[in-house]
Amino acid sequence: MAFPEQLRRWQRELRAQFPLIVANPDVAYLDSAATAQKPQAVLDAVMSYLTTGNADAARGTYPWVNRTTARIEQARDRLRRFLDDPLPQGSGVHFVGGAADGLRAVARDWLAPQLHDGDEIIVPFADHAANAEPWLEAAELLRRQGARIRVTPMPYDEARDYDADRLAALVSNRTRFIAATHVHHVYGNDMDVPRLRAAAGPEIPICLDAAQGVGRLPLSTAELDVDFVVFSGHKAMALPGIGAIWARNTRGPAYVPAGWSGSPNTTGVISLAAALDWLDAAGLGRIARWTTALGARLTEGLRTLPSYEVLGCRQSLTADSGVPQRQGIIAFRHRAIGSHDLGFILASEGILVRADGHGQGDEGEKTASVRVSLHVYNTPEEVDRLLTVLAGLDRSW
């Protein structure tokens, strides 16, 4: 996949806005699916807030409190616009600690009270465990109360995409809820959520784990027709410890968090609003184009190295593939070197990747792998540098 000079200039300008990347020119940070680096604009927004008007939102009447309260509400509206919310007056935005925290809140506060004995939910057990465990916990809570909830695994095809035809056959008049993923955190594929709505029909609520989608590519709730979008801010260039639940509030009761609401993570919310501004200004379409091109460069290189197995869809390994390219996330294994050892080897070369099981659910990969996750601050030269090290290990085995 080509990298036109105009696109390269755009990327160089953006890369220069990441202080940690600029300060470490000899390090290739290829672990953005774990956490993304922060642009200066996000850091500036947080520092400006802390030094000009830090206060506890909705707890007082003086100007700093009022400004902070207003900024929290403005951040909710900002997120609705970012997600292309078609009916913002009818949706809710709730700030949480992250994607796992948000998914658990939806399971506990919204789903569990609606389920009854004999109901069914469909859960993706080959996706991130954070999008499996909360639904199991809700079912177990109800079991202890005497209600038996059937938890049915989401069907997958050979390429590890969702099998929409088999899903349609699974849906029954007792199916009450479907959990799904936007971009897979190991295989890197866009899970094509609109197919799930067509398979599920118009009535069943769908909750989308968008931890690897928000910040990587455009996400339109108007097009996806899901009921919940949950994500972590730190993967979208905001600070750690902040995330959000977007709730459509049309299939079933409106989502309302249970219990007392404590002080919000104001700096986290400020950072998230700034990150969304930065991502919109950079252009999510261009970011997706850049990262998929880098991913194709990597998979094409890995395809020529016989010692490596790339996980996921084999048809997506070339730049001219007829199937959608991976969203800058590629996982692979060496056939002789353990993935943990390979991670240490790459780190010694200044190449930072994740090397473990990646927290997949029970139907995920059983053996550790190396995951490379690319973002807009990464370069073709960093991908080539990685491939050079991997090729040297290929020849030595």
Side-chain angles (χ1 to χ4, degrees):
M1 193 171 291
F3 294 87
E5 181 55 32
Q6 183 180 10
L7 191 62
R8 282 180 173 266
R9 285 198 303 271
W10 165 84
Q11 190 271 340
R12 284 194 294 268
E13 291 176 359
L14 296 185
R15 177 181 168 93
Q17 297 176 38
F18 290 84
L20 188 57
I21 298 296
V22 173
N24 293 274
D26 297 329
V27 172
Y29 180 77
L30 308 180
D31 195 23
S32 292
T35 194
Q37 297 304 329
K38 321 307 176 194
Q40 188 66 53
V42 170
L43 305 177
D44 289 344
V46 171
M47 185 58 67
S48 174
Y49 166 73
L50 290 174
T51 57
T52 62
N54 176 42
D56 199 0
R59 286 162 174 81
T61 58
Y62 53 89
W64 292 357
V65 168
N66 295 336
R67 286 201 300 270
T68 298
T69 304
R71 292 188 71 169
I72 299 293
E73 292 306 313
Q74 290 163 6
R76 289 191 170 96
D77 291 338
R78 183 68 186 87
L79 179 55
R80 290 185 178 97
R81 295 196 305 275
F82 186 84
L83 295 179
D84 188 26
D85 187 340
L87 294 170
Q89 68 276 13
S91 64
V93 172
H94 309 272
F95 295 114
V96 291
D101 185 34
L103 293 166
R104 182 165 282 111
V106 174
R108 179 192 63 232
D109 300 341
W110 187 86
L111 179 61
Q114 297 188 69
L115 296 177
H116 301 90
D117 188 53
D119 284 345
E120 175 192 49
I121 61 176
I122 298 176
V123 174
F125 287 109
D127 297 1
H128 198 274
N131 200 18
E133 294 300 325
W135 320 118
L136 292 173
E137 291 168 5
E140 174 60 20
L141 172 66
L142 292 168
R143 186 194 67 78
R144 294 198 298 267
Q145 297 173 358
R148 294 165 298 174
I149 306 303
R150 182 180 179 184
V151 182
T152 298
M154 174 77 79
Y156 297 82
D157 61 22
E158 293 181 355
R160 307 309 282 168
D161 285 328
Y162 296 141
D163 190 324
D165 292 336
R166 289 171 58 203
L167 174 64
L170 286 175
V171 171
S172 73
N173 61 0
R174 298 308 300 268
T175 304
R176 298 289 181 260
F177 180 83
I178 295 173
T181 298
H182 186 211
V183 173
H184 201 280
H185 74 294
V186 176
Y187 310 120
N189 44 315
D190 182 335
M191 301 302 284
D192 196 3
V193 174
R195 295 178 306 151
L196 302 187
R197 173 53 67 203
E203 302 300 328
I204 298 174
I206 296 176
C207 179
L208 189 64
D209 174 2
Q212 300 298 347
V214 172
R216 287 185 171 275
L217 69 165
L219 190 162
S220 170
T221 56
E223 296 177 3
L224 295 183
D225 193 17
V226 295
D227 299 86
F228 295 93
V229 173
V230 185
F231 68 97
S232 298
H234 74 98
K235 298 179 190 293
M237 300 185 179
L239 294 183
I242 189 66
I245 300 169
W246 172 90
R248 187 183 293 276
N249 294 336
T250 57
R251 296 181 181 95
Y255 171 77
V256 179
W260 176 257
S261 179
S263 296
N265 177 359
T266 53
T267 54
V269 173
I270 297 298
S271 76
L272 179 57
L276 300 183
D277 285 344
W278 190 92
L279 289 163
D280 265 347
L284 281 164
R286 276 188 165 187
I287 290 174
R289 181 183 173 191
W290 183 261
T291 57
T292 54
L294 291 178
R297 192 182 188 98
L298 176 57
T299 54
E300 283 196 318
L302 286 168
R303 199 166 60 94
T304 68
L305 304 177
S307 295
Y308 295 91
E309 171 198 13
V310 180
L311 308 186
C313 177
R314 303 296 300 173
Q315 298 177 30
S316 67
L317 300 186
T318 61
D320 59 354
S321 169
V323 301
Q325 293 292 336
R326 299 159 191 249
Q327 300 296 320
I329 301 174
I330 298 96
F332 58 90
R333 299 189 190 100
H334 192 283
R335 300 186 190 280
I337 304 173
S339 293
H340 293 93
D341 291 337
L342 186 53
F344 281 118
I345 292 169
L346 292 174
S348 72
E349 299 286 342
I351 300 172
L352 309 184
V353 299
R354 181 164 175 174
D356 58 26
H358 315 303
Q360 272 189 282
D362 290 344
E363 293 186 9
E365 302 289 336
K366 305 304 181 186
T367 306
S369 61
V370 170
R371 183 183 70 184
V372 171
S373 46
L374 304 151
H375 219 309
V376 69
Y377 37 71
N378 294 123
T379 65
E381 291 73 25
E382 289 176 329
V383 172
D384 293 346
R385 177 179 163 190
L386 169 63
L387 285 169
T388 297
V389 175
L390 296 177
L393 295 172
D394 181 69
R395 287 190 296 271
S396 67
W397 290 84

